Amino acid sequence: MKVKDTLNLGKTGFPMRAGLPNKEPEWQKNWEEADLYNKRQELNEGKPSFMLHDGPPYANGNIHLGHSLNKISKDIIVRYKNMAGFRAPYVPGWDTHGLPIEQVLAKNGVKRKEMDLLDYLEECRKYALSQVDTQRADFKRLGVMGDWENPYITLDPSYEAAQIHVFGKMAEKGYIYKGQKPIYWSPSSESSLAEAEIEYQDVRSASIYVAFKAVDTKGKLPEDTEFVIWTTTPWTIPSNMGIFTHPDFEYVLVSVDGRKFLIASDLLNDVAENLEWTDYEVIQTIKGNELDGMVARHPFYDRDSLVMNAEYVTLDSGTGLVHTAPGHGEDDYFFSRKYNLPVLSPIDDRGYYTDEAPGFEGLFYDEGNKKVTELLEEKGALLKLSFFTHSYPHDWRTKKPVIFRATPQWFASIDKFRQDILSEVEKVDWVMPWGKTRLYNMVRDRGDWVISRQRAWGVPLPIFYAEDGSEIITPETTNHVADLFKEHGSKVWWERDAKDLLPEGFTHPGSPNGEFTKEKDIMDVWFDSGSSHEAVLRGRKELSFPADLYLEGSDQYRGWFNSSITTSVAINGVAPYKAVLSQGFVLDGQGRKMSKSIGNIIAPGTVVKQYGADILRLWVASVDAESDVRVSMEILGQVSETYRKIRNTLRFLIANTSDFSKNDNSVDYDELQGSDKYILNRLNEVVAASLEAYNKYDFMTVYKTVFNFLTNDLSAFYLDFAKDVVYIEGADSKARRSMQTVFNEILVKLTKLLSPIIPHTAEEIWSYLDEEEEYVYLAEMPTTVEYVNSEELTDTWSAFMDFRDEVLKALEVARDEKVIGKSLEASVTVYPNEVVRTLLASMNEDIAKLLIVSEFVVANGDAPADAQQFEDVAISVKHAEGEVCDRCRRTDLTVGQSENEHLAHFCKRCADIVTEEFPEVLTEGFETNEAGKK
């Protein structure tokens, strides 16, 4: 036997190196084979429900770190709720219709216009499902637990049928209508866009001042008057039908170089400066309301331009006279309705001028800026051309500019139930309070929702037309279409003629011959995902409506949060969610947006292969996702180091409880040492703080709370001096069993608390614990314990920790001065004030053990001159007298006092322990190595 054989050195098969990239797939396979998701749901049957409804990611390509942040966050919440007394099913979903899939197929050589439509739609469907499979594998590799075999997919026939029901109910309430007014149009997508699909980028645009010659001034202005407008969209001049002025503004007629220009009085100085007028004279003043009804001539077409009044005209910029093209401007259209101004929009789906703009036919609208300007100059109507940079709307998918274009579209009238939506916004619990303001303002300010799209891959609008052009949207027809979609999928719309999609025997006064046609447009994809509350929450028996939580990126205030509350309030009168949590975007380590051009994209798969999913999950828990978060391989490396510290601390606890049985060896709380009780009380605080943080979706606080406890309370204090007990004392001694009781309690509770964040590691730890549940995921979250005199105990030990800090400083000085090397070589004498003296006397602890020194003395009288002075104590550090014990490494005067020669190098404490635990040593002694060491 060697001396080390008399020590209780912890032994465990729990490896120091995690090997997460290789082990995690094994755990995930194990969970799947054990049907762990459903087992947890069965355990929770009958408990209160918690519904986190998954916002569907778009099924296109492998997942990115934004997906990872989102899905891991959801998984943390769902895992926690399932372990905290709730039935929390998680049904993942996918958004599968829309332009991106059409674009991918086009890039892959699929030519839509050369194919049979049904064949093309089948290609879209197959591609979408292949992407669902790809992303499902990616999400599962992150350890996300859910009903992966039964997700919701927006192309599923049952989902499409539910979507048609949503549309039908909205139509029945009079919210759906067809209109021709300017909407966002994307030439690059060849489709209309909703406001949610718009993003803004800076562009360089032309800015022009144009003079329109008067035709009829009602005798109130000279006939040679010219109305001056300013615009940043020269390409819309061919569509000009009028000029708006403000009825309350004052306008001035200015004589410049023999010409007479009309502009707003308040803008005269700005215009004069911009047009470089050096010698000008105001020759007349006129009120805006007197201009109403005057007529100007289009600068290069033989048609009139009507001068009108509208209160939306401002003095912020320009001339106070607004170029009006009802076919290309929302305000232009709206305010010109009372004048019955024609709506001219001579731009086709791809952004090219039609023959309604003579001289510009076949020219791309953006190229029209130059030609229009040249023509204006030729006609003498161009007063100034300059360029400026400003924010301009773009298609958020193609990243190309959009235009306003008047086309026949289907709309959902937000005006008719806007106030109902706003009332519901007020009732929702916005985890980020600013989210309420953001969505409220969006709903308050938004126009009607353009729900039609001129694409192929999507859910058809279930609208029929009679022979006389009457639109047919009735409960009978939409319910029948929904039934057909549920049975055959939406492809049936394209497979059958209109009459075969209508109920048998259907008649309509507008079709005396029984002939019907059908709508060719599809629905906006936001209508797809925005119907998920009906298709999923109401459509699946294990789920319920409304959801307790929607959690998505902050861009979804304009997207899914918006479309979901719109459709839900429209048909149900209530919001589809009780609470909303949003997250920021994932940026690189320098705070830049990730992009292929910069080369700073980090794929989740790369992280998982190098570090493992638990490292990515720990990163998610470590960041404040309320705003944008940063990530880089360097940052993930730092997280990996934190993980290593967590793992190794818990490994120490596992190793030193390997011979501990909770049922046979536990020590009651009342019989524990004060230090043991203190740590259990600190653990109690950690549990309370962590549970509170989980309930607030504040993962970062859970992460910090647990890590700080492991680092500061355990590694730097309790476990540091615990080695002197768990290694040195007798295996079954009360002191050791007391500490093991604490170790086990910490292990069990921290493993449960960490399980939602690092589930693979938590399950690995759990497999080494003596617990009845096979998996930690089948256990319940820890609860707090009501300890007697908890507050008093905590106060006492907090005061001791302050005292300990002072001793540690004194030891560090002594180490610097070469008085001691290791702290166990020290003899510490303290000269405390009465408060500290009382504290130390009350502790009933081996203070030397707590401080990891060989001797500790509380002295009376004055401190020596070389003692280190603190506010409440003076501390003297000397080298301890005696020899170093070969077993416990303390410096002790009792070393060598044993009468047994085999115990000659032990202190009395170790000699007594070895005599008790290993009596054979008294006669056989210890083995020695070649160097003569035992």
Side-chain angles (χ1 to χ4, degrees), residues 647-766:
R647 182 181 182 89
N648 286 345
T649 302
L650 296 176
R651 181 179 182 274
F652 178 87
L653 297 175
I654 294 170
N656 286 286
T657 49
S658 58
D659 65 340
F660 175 82
S661 166
K662 182 169 65 174
N663 295 328
D664 299 333
N665 305 127
S666 292
V667 178
D668 290 342
Y669 178 80
D670 292 341
E671 297 179 28
L672 296 176
Q673 285 286 98
S675 54
D676 300 327
K677 291 179 179 179
Y678 168 62
I679 290 299
L680 286 181
N681 276 269
R682 279 290 297 120
L683 176 64
N684 216 29
E685 292 173 356
V686 168
V687 170
S690 297
L691 295 181
E692 181 182 3
Y694 269 129
N695 286 325
K696 293 179 178 178
Y697 315 122
D698 181 5
F699 317 138
M700 187 170 69
T701 292
V702 179
Y703 167 85
K704 286 183 175 179
T705 300
V706 172
F707 184 68
N708 288 342
F709 176 68
L710 286 168
T711 304
N712 300 331
D713 295 277
L714 295 186
S715 295
F717 174 57
Y718 189 64
L719 302 187
D720 206 13
F721 75 78
K723 297 166 188 172
D724 189 60
V725 176
V726 293
Y727 290 177
I728 305 301
E729 296 292 342
D732 200 33
S733 66
K734 185 177 180 181
R736 185 167 181 270
R737 293 305 189 194
S738 294
M739 277 198 162
Q740 287 183 313
T741 300
V742 176
F743 284 9
N744 187 72
E745 189 81 354
I746 294 169
L747 261 176
V748 171
K749 289 188 173 180
L750 290 192
T751 302
K752 291 178 177 180
L753 288 177
L754 288 170
S755 176
I757 297 173
I758 47 174
H760 307 90
T761 303
E763 293 295 359
E764 185 183 8
I765 293 170
W766 196 258

Side-chain angles (χ1 to χ4, degrees), residues 180 239-244 294-295 303-308 312 322-327 331-344:
Q180 178 166 344
S239 305
N240 175 275
M241 304 302 291
I243 298 169
F244 270 121
M294 293 184 181
V295 180
R303 67 167 182 254
D304 292 339
S305 186
L306 182 65
V307 180
M308 305 163 287
Y312 84 93
V322 178
H323 148 57
T324 302
D331 288 333
D332 301 27
Y333 172 86
F334 179 80
F335 288 100
S336 66
R337 288 312 81 212
K338 78 172 186 178
Y339 294 94
N340 294 315
L341 219 58
V343 179
L344 175 64

Side-chain angles (χ1 to χ4, degrees), residues 496-657:
R496 301 184 183 183
D497 292 334
K499 62 182 180 180
D500 297 323
L501 293 166
L502 287 162
E504 189 172 349
F506 181 83
T507 61
H508 189 276
S511 287
N513 300 313
E515 295 296 323
F516 300 92
T517 54
K518 61 189 177 185
E519 179 59 65
K520 295 180 180 178
D521 285 356
I522 63 171
M523 289 195 213
D524 174 15
V525 290
W526 288 113
F527 204 104
D528 289 24
S529 58
S531 302
S532 64
H533 55 81
E534 188 74 7
V536 184
L537 293 176
R538 287 187 182 276
R540 296 183 63 147
K541 61 179 179 7
E542 76 273 27
L543 305 181
S544 59
F545 174 93
D548 290 282
L549 182 67
Y550 274 32
L551 189 173
E552 301 300 329
S554 56
D555 56 334
Q556 295 308 311
Y557 287 102
R558 68 175 182 176
W560 193 54
F561 297 158
N562 199 323
S563 63
S564 295
I565 197 170
T566 300
T567 56
S568 183
V569 171
I571 68 171
N572 299 312
V574 296
Y577 37 71
K578 297 176 186 176
V580 170
L581 172 61
S582 64
Q583 296 179 318
F585 293 100
V586 178
L587 309 176
D588 72 6
Q590 298 177 43
R592 300 174 301 176
K593 183 179 178 180
M594 291 194 174
S595 70
K596 290 180 180 178
S597 59
I598 298 177
N600 60 348
I601 292 176
I602 301 173
T606 302
V607 179
V608 169
K609 285 177 183 175
Q610 182 168 337
Y611 291 113
D614 273 3
I615 302 304
L616 196 53
R617 296 178 68 101
L618 194 61
W619 168 75
V620 169
S622 73
V623 296
D624 179 6
E626 290 186 15
S627 51
D628 294 344
V629 296
R630 297 187 180 194
V631 68
S632 63
M633 293 308 284
E634 183 182 3
I635 290 171
L636 290 166
Q638 294 166 0
V639 174
S640 179
E641 182 61 22
T642 299
Y643 170 86
R644 187 186 65 79
K645 291 176 182 176
I646 293 172
R647 182 181 182 89
N648 286 345
T649 302
L650 296 176
R651 181 179 182 274
F652 178 87
L653 297 175
I654 294 170
N656 286 286
T657 49

Side-chain angles (χ1 to χ4, degrees), residues 1-8 727-731 887 900 902-903 906 910-926:
M1 179 179 290
K2 296 181 179 180
V3 172
K4 70 174 184 179
D5 296 328
T6 70
L7 301 174
N8 307 301
Y727 290 177
I728 305 301
E729 296 292 342
R887 188 168 180 273
N900 188 295
H902 301 304
L903 305 177
F906 291 174
C910 286
D912 290 345
I913 292 170
V914 171
T915 299
E916 176 76 20
E917 301 286 326
F918 306 98
E920 64 273 25
V921 168
L922 301 180
T923 55
E924 298 174 8
F926 292 103

Side-chain angles (χ1 to χ4, degrees), residues 808 810-824:
L808 293 180
L811 288 171
E812 190 60 35
V813 171
R815 193 174 289 113
D816 291 342
E817 294 177 351
K818 310 300 182 185
V819 174
I820 60 170
K822 297 178 180 178
S823 64
L824 273 177

